[in-house]
Amino acid sequence: MVKPETRKQRGERHDREVEESQQNLRANIAETERLLSASDKMLKRHRSESDDAED
């Protein structure tokens, strides 16, 4: 039979889970910012190429 967690153990597990979740969130935000930046650069390049083609 599994021994139930103590209040302290639950608190420590919760703290670890929250920290892991926060790390994942920060990584996801960083990746989103990277993708947005790459998308902006691509759109600017395409607009410039389109403008150059019209000249």
Side-chain angles (χ1 to χ4, degrees):
M1 187 167 176
V2 176
K3 184 177 173 184
E5 288 180 309
T6 66
R7 183 181 188 121
K8 180 180 178 185
Q9 289 170 327
R10 274 192 310 275
E12 290 169 346
R13 179 177 50 82
H14 177 76
D15 289 345
R16 285 190 309 272
E17 290 171 352
V18 168
E19 180 56 32
E20 181 181 337
S21 177
Q22 290 293 315
Q23 287 176 358
N24 288 335
L25 180 60
R26 286 189 288 270
N28 287 335
I29 289 170
E31 178 65 2
T32 298
E33 289 174 344
R34 184 190 71 76
L35 292 170
L36 285 170
S37 177
S39 176
D40 286 344
K41 289 176 184 176
M42 180 183 66
L43 288 171
K44 286 178 185 177
R45 186 178 68 245
H46 286 174
R47 281 190 205 113
S48 176
E49 290 170 356
S50 179
D51 289 346
D52 291 346
E54 291 176 6
D55 292 341

